Amino acid sequence: MPRPTAAQLAYGSCTVIFSTLAMLLLSQTSSSLGIVLITLSALALGLLVAMTVPLPKPAPSAAAPLVRERVPVQFETASVSASSAPEPVREPAGP
């Protein structure tokens, strides 16, 4: 059985504490049997809450590494020959 996470411990503990207080205040019991029953039911509720907290997803194992498909990059280069003369730039006449 895996160890509980910090979130599971926190949710379970808070549930036990608050549900025990709420049930003791609402029932106003003073008998030891009533206090024991309320405490046990709060512990069961806290355990239920702690076990239903979503667990983190396991990391991918080293045995199955992720394979990424590599796509070759194509570069377009402008071919400039040394014998070609630059063309003159024609600009429109100003006003």
Side-chain angles (χ1 to χ4, degrees):
M1 182 172 158
R3 294 185 179 193
T5 62
Q8 288 176 316
L9 290 174
Y11 285 132
S13 299
C14 288
T15 302
V16 169
I17 292 168
F18 291 130
S19 63
T20 303
L21 287 175
M23 286 188 279
L24 284 173
L25 290 174
L26 290 174
S27 69
Q28 297 179 352
T29 185
S30 59
S31 68
S32 59
L33 180 61
I35 293 172
V36 169
L37 288 176
I38 288 174
T39 305
L40 290 176
S41 63
L43 284 173
L45 184 63
L47 183 63
L48 178 71
V49 167
M51 290 297 125
T52 56
V53 172
L55 295 174
K57 294 181 181 176
S61 65
L66 293 175
V67 178
R68 295 184 181 180
E69 186 176 326
R70 297 190 126 205
V71 178
V73 178
Q74 296 178 354
F75 294 102
E76 291 185 18
T77 57
S79 60
V80 178
S81 62
S83 64
S84 66
E87 294 184 20
V89 177
R90 297 186 182 205
E91 297 181 0

